[in-house]
Protein backbone atom coordinates (compact mmCIF):
# COMPACT_ATOMS: atom_id res chain seq x y z
CA UNK A 1 0.00 0.00 0.00
CA UNK A 2 1.47 3.35 -0.98
CA UNK A 3 2.11 5.67 1.93
CA UNK A 4 0.78 9.20 1.87
CA UNK A 5 2.64 12.16 3.33
CA UNK A 6 -0.64 13.70 4.41
CA UNK A 7 -2.99 11.93 6.81
CA UNK A 8 -5.97 10.58 4.89
CA UNK A 9 -9.22 10.22 6.76
CA UNK A 10 -11.75 7.71 5.50
CA UNK A 11 -15.23 7.33 6.89
CA UNK A 12 -16.17 3.67 6.85
CA UNK A 13 -19.62 2.25 6.31
CA UNK A 14 -20.88 2.34 9.89
CA UNK A 15 -24.36 1.29 10.91
CA UNK A 16 -25.90 2.53 14.15
CA UNK A 17 -28.95 0.47 15.13
CA UNK A 18 -31.28 1.52 17.91
CA UNK A 19 -32.24 -1.68 19.67
CA UNK A 20 -35.02 -0.83 22.11
CA UNK A 21 -36.68 2.57 21.87
CA UNK A 22 -36.37 3.17 25.60
CA UNK A 23 -32.57 3.02 25.56
CA UNK A 24 -30.65 5.71 23.71
CA UNK A 25 -27.44 3.85 24.58
CA UNK A 26 -28.39 0.62 22.82
CA UNK A 27 -26.29 1.27 19.75
CA UNK A 28 -24.32 -1.19 17.70
CA UNK A 29 -21.79 0.04 15.16
CA UNK A 30 -19.93 -1.91 12.52
CA UNK A 31 -17.60 -0.68 9.83
CA UNK A 32 -15.86 -2.04 6.75
CA UNK A 33 -12.20 -1.06 6.36
CA UNK A 34 -10.61 -3.41 3.78
CA UNK A 35 -7.13 -1.88 3.82
CA UNK A 36 -4.13 -4.03 2.82
CA UNK A 37 -0.94 -3.52 4.82
CA UNK A 38 2.10 -4.98 3.07
CA UNK A 39 4.98 -2.55 3.59
CA UNK A 40 6.77 -1.81 6.84
CA UNK A 41 4.85 0.79 8.86
CA UNK A 42 1.73 0.62 6.69
CA UNK A 43 -1.06 1.18 9.16
CA UNK A 44 -4.66 1.94 10.03
CA UNK A 45 -5.64 4.38 12.77
CA UNK A 46 -9.23 3.84 13.92
CA UNK A 47 -11.81 5.90 15.80
CA UNK A 48 -14.07 3.15 17.14
CA UNK A 49 -16.98 5.44 18.03
CA UNK A 50 -17.38 7.06 14.61
CA UNK A 51 -15.86 4.40 12.37
CA UNK A 52 -13.54 6.96 10.79
CA UNK A 53 -10.01 5.76 10.08
CA UNK A 54 -6.75 7.01 8.63
CA UNK A 55 -4.25 5.22 6.39
CA UNK A 56 -1.37 7.42 7.53
CA UNK A 57 -0.52 8.62 11.02
CA UNK A 58 -2.72 11.60 11.94
CA UNK A 59 -0.16 12.56 14.63
CA UNK A 60 -3.02 13.55 16.89
CA UNK A 61 -4.22 11.01 19.43
CA UNK A 62 -7.54 12.84 19.82
CA UNK A 63 -8.53 11.64 16.34
CA UNK A 64 -8.13 7.89 16.86
CA UNK A 65 -8.43 5.22 19.56
CA UNK A 66 -6.16 2.43 18.34
CA UNK A 67 -3.73 1.67 15.56
CA UNK A 68 -2.43 -1.42 13.79
CA UNK A 69 0.89 -1.37 11.94
CA UNK A 70 2.50 -3.93 9.64
CA UNK A 71 6.10 -4.87 10.45
CA UNK A 72 7.88 -6.63 7.58
CA UNK A 73 10.86 -8.90 8.20
CA UNK A 74 13.53 -8.15 5.59
CA UNK A 75 17.25 -7.58 5.10
CA UNK A 76 17.02 -3.94 6.17
CA UNK A 77 15.08 -4.62 9.37
CA UNK A 78 16.48 -8.04 10.14
CA UNK A 79 14.99 -8.28 13.63
CA UNK A 80 11.39 -8.09 12.38
CA UNK A 81 9.46 -11.20 11.49
CA UNK A 82 6.43 -9.95 9.55
CA UNK A 83 3.63 -9.28 12.02
CA UNK A 84 1.09 -6.77 13.27
CA UNK A 85 1.93 -4.25 15.98
CA UNK A 86 -1.08 -2.82 17.83
CA UNK A 87 -1.20 0.24 20.04
CA UNK A 88 -3.69 2.64 21.61
CA UNK A 89 -3.95 6.40 21.81
CA UNK A 90 -5.21 6.68 25.40
CA UNK A 91 -5.96 4.51 28.41
CA UNK A 92 -9.63 4.49 27.35
CA UNK A 93 -8.82 1.78 24.79
CA UNK A 94 -6.96 -1.47 25.49
CA UNK A 95 -5.86 -4.44 23.36
CA UNK A 96 -6.68 -7.96 24.57
CA UNK A 97 -3.52 -10.03 25.00
CA UNK A 98 -2.79 -13.53 26.26
CA UNK A 99 0.11 -15.79 27.24
CA UNK A 100 2.28 -17.47 24.63
CA UNK A 101 5.50 -19.49 24.54
CA UNK A 102 7.66 -16.35 24.76
CA UNK A 103 5.55 -14.34 27.21
CA UNK A 104 2.53 -12.36 26.06
CA UNK A 105 1.25 -11.24 22.66
CA UNK A 106 -1.97 -10.06 21.04
CA UNK A 107 -4.60 -12.74 21.59
CA UNK A 108 -6.06 -14.44 18.50
CA UNK A 109 -9.81 -15.06 18.51
CA UNK A 110 -11.78 -17.38 16.25
CA UNK A 111 -15.18 -16.50 14.81
CA UNK A 112 -17.83 -16.48 17.54
CA UNK A 113 -15.33 -16.77 20.40
CA UNK A 114 -16.08 -14.67 23.49
CA UNK A 115 -13.61 -11.79 23.73
CA UNK A 116 -11.87 -11.92 27.09
CA UNK A 117 -8.37 -11.73 28.50
CA UNK A 118 -5.74 -9.40 29.86
CA UNK A 119 -5.81 -5.79 28.70
CA UNK A 120 -2.72 -4.02 27.38
CA UNK A 121 -1.84 -0.61 25.95
CA UNK A 122 0.00 -2.32 23.09
CA UNK A 123 1.51 -5.56 21.89
CA UNK A 124 2.52 -7.53 18.81
CA UNK A 125 0.87 -10.57 17.26
CA UNK A 126 4.19 -12.46 17.38
CA UNK A 127 7.80 -11.70 18.28
CA UNK A 128 10.69 -11.25 15.79
CA UNK A 129 11.30 -15.01 15.86
CA UNK A 130 7.71 -15.76 14.91
CA UNK A 131 6.67 -16.91 18.39
CA UNK A 132 3.31 -15.64 19.61
CA UNK A 133 -0.41 -16.24 19.50
CA UNK A 134 -0.48 -15.50 15.74
CA UNK A 135 2.87 -17.14 14.90
CA UNK A 136 2.55 -19.65 12.06
CA UNK A 137 -1.10 -18.74 11.50
CA UNK A 138 -2.54 -17.69 8.15
CA UNK A 139 -6.19 -16.93 7.49
CA UNK A 140 -8.94 -14.81 8.99
CA UNK A 141 -9.04 -14.22 12.74
CA UNK A 142 -9.84 -11.43 15.17
CA UNK A 143 -8.18 -9.00 17.57
CA UNK A 144 -10.23 -8.05 20.62
CA UNK A 145 -10.23 -4.67 22.30
CA UNK A 146 -12.02 -2.79 25.05
CA UNK A 147 -13.08 0.84 25.03
CA UNK A 148 -14.34 2.98 27.89
CA UNK A 149 -17.76 4.35 26.96
CA UNK A 150 -17.90 8.16 27.11
CA UNK A 151 -21.53 7.93 28.30
CA UNK A 152 -21.41 5.11 30.89
CA UNK A 153 -17.65 4.89 31.68
CA UNK A 154 -17.92 1.09 31.33
CA UNK A 155 -15.23 -0.98 29.64
CA UNK A 156 -16.97 -2.40 26.58
CA UNK A 157 -15.86 -4.80 23.87
CA UNK A 158 -15.13 -4.76 20.17
CA UNK A 159 -13.10 -6.61 17.54
CA UNK A 160 -10.96 -6.11 14.45
CA UNK A 161 -11.12 -8.68 11.64
CA UNK A 162 -7.74 -9.48 10.06
CA UNK A 163 -6.82 -11.53 7.02
CA UNK A 164 -3.43 -12.51 8.38
CA UNK A 165 -0.85 -13.57 5.79
CA UNK A 166 2.34 -12.52 7.57
CA UNK A 167 5.52 -14.26 6.44
CA UNK A 168 9.24 -14.29 7.10
CA UNK A 169 9.94 -12.03 5.36
CA UNK A 170 7.06 -10.38 3.51
CA UNK A 171 3.39 -11.18 3.41
CA UNK A 172 0.47 -8.90 4.14
CA UNK A 173 -2.25 -8.18 6.66
CA UNK A 174 -5.65 -6.96 5.51
CA UNK A 175 -7.69 -5.06 8.08
CA UNK A 176 -11.17 -6.05 6.90
CA UNK A 177 -13.76 -4.77 9.36
CA UNK A 178 -14.55 -4.00 12.98
CA UNK A 179 -17.49 -3.87 15.36
CA UNK A 180 -18.09 -2.17 18.69
CA UNK A 181 -21.15 -2.06 20.94
CA UNK A 182 -21.79 0.45 23.70
CA UNK A 183 -24.13 -1.35 26.09
CA UNK A 184 -21.51 -3.08 28.24
CA UNK A 185 -22.19 -6.47 26.70
CA UNK A 186 -19.64 -9.20 26.11
CA UNK A 187 -18.77 -9.28 22.42
CA UNK A 188 -18.12 -12.36 20.31
CA UNK A 189 -15.47 -12.11 17.61
CA UNK A 190 -16.90 -11.64 14.15
CA UNK A 191 -20.43 -10.98 15.42
CA UNK A 192 -22.11 -7.62 15.91
CA UNK A 193 -22.29 -6.99 19.68
CA UNK A 194 -25.92 -7.13 20.77
CA UNK A 195 -26.94 -4.98 23.73
CA UNK A 196 -27.98 -7.14 26.66
CA UNK A 197 -31.15 -5.12 27.10
CA UNK A 198 -32.24 -5.82 23.54
CA UNK A 199 -31.51 -9.51 24.09
CA UNK A 200 -33.70 -9.49 27.20
CA UNK A 201 -36.53 -7.84 25.30
CA UNK A 202 -36.24 -10.44 22.53
CA UNK A 203 -36.37 -13.25 25.10
CA UNK A 204 -39.42 -11.69 26.73
CA UNK A 205 -41.21 -11.38 23.39
CA UNK A 206 -40.32 -14.97 22.52
CA UNK A 207 -41.70 -16.15 25.86
CA UNK A 208 -44.92 -14.23 25.29
CA UNK A 209 -45.32 -15.72 21.82
CA UNK A 210 -44.86 -19.23 23.23
CA UNK A 211 -47.43 -18.54 25.96
CA UNK A 212 -50.09 -17.39 23.48
CA UNK A 213 -49.26 -20.30 21.18
CA UNK A 214 -49.91 -22.74 24.04
CA UNK A 215 -53.20 -20.99 24.87
CA UNK A 216 -54.39 -21.29 21.28
CA UNK A 217 -53.55 -25.01 21.19
CA UNK A 218 -55.40 -25.55 24.48
Amino acid sequence: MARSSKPKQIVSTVGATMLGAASSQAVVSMGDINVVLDTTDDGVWLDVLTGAFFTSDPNDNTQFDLDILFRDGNAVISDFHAKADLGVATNDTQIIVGPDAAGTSVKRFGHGEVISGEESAGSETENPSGVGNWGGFTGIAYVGFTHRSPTTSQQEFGWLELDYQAGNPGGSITVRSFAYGDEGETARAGLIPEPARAGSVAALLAGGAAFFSRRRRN
Side-chain angles (χ1 to χ4, degrees):
M1 182 187 72
R3 302 279 291 167
S4 170
S5 59
K6 183 178 180 181
K8 182 179 181 182
Q9 183 177 7
I10 304 171
V11 179
S12 63
T13 306
V14 176
T17 306
M18 303 306 295
L19 298 175
S23 173
S24 62
Q25 299 305 314
V27 177
V28 170
S29 64
M30 183 170 181
D32 294 325
I33 298 178
N34 291 320
V35 172
V36 178
L37 313 179
D38 59 8
T39 303
T40 293
D41 288 339
D42 277 352
V44 169
W45 290 258
L46 173 65
D47 181 337
V48 302
L49 292 179
T50 67
F53 62 94
F54 301 82
T55 55
S56 56
D57 191 348
N59 295 311
D60 180 354
N61 64 8
T62 65
Q63 298 185 61
F64 69 96
D65 298 303
L66 61 86
D67 62 78
I68 176 169
L69 304 177
F70 180 71
R71 305 296 196 190
D72 181 15
N74 55 38
V76 177
I77 310 176
S78 59
D79 62 336
F80 281 148
H81 185 281
K83 59 185 179 293
D85 186 359
L86 286 99
V88 300
T90 70
N91 290 332
D92 288 339
T93 307
Q94 299 283 283
I95 305 298
I96 302 297
V97 299
D100 60 46
T104 301
S105 62
V106 174
K107 195 169 180 179
R108 175 166 56 90
F109 294 93
H111 189 272
E113 187 176 352
V114 173
I115 295 174
S116 64
E118 180 184 347
E119 296 176 346
S120 172
S123 188
E124 298 171 338
T125 50
E126 51 187 286
N127 71 13
S129 299
V131 177
N133 290 318
W134 295 68
F137 171 82
T138 58
I140 295 175
Y142 302 85
V143 171
F145 65 88
T146 63
H147 182 75
R148 189 175 299 279
S149 167
T151 55
T152 66
S153 296
Q154 295 183 80
Q155 284 290 82
E156 296 152 354
F157 293 85
W159 48 261
L160 280 168
E161 179 189 14
L162 305 184
D163 186 351
Y164 195 79
Q165 304 293 332
N168 186 18
S172 67
I173 296 170
T174 303
V175 186
R176 292 164 56 100
S177 63
F178 83 99
Y180 167 77
D182 73 350
E183 192 67 12
E185 73 288 349
T186 299
R188 290 181 178 271
L191 305 179
I192 299 176
E194 180 180 356
R197 187 174 306 174
S200 298
V201 170
L204 180 62
L205 292 175
F211 172 76
F212 285 111
S213 177
R214 287 194 299 271
R215 287 197 62 183
R216 293 181 71 179
R217 286 199 302 269
N218 291 338

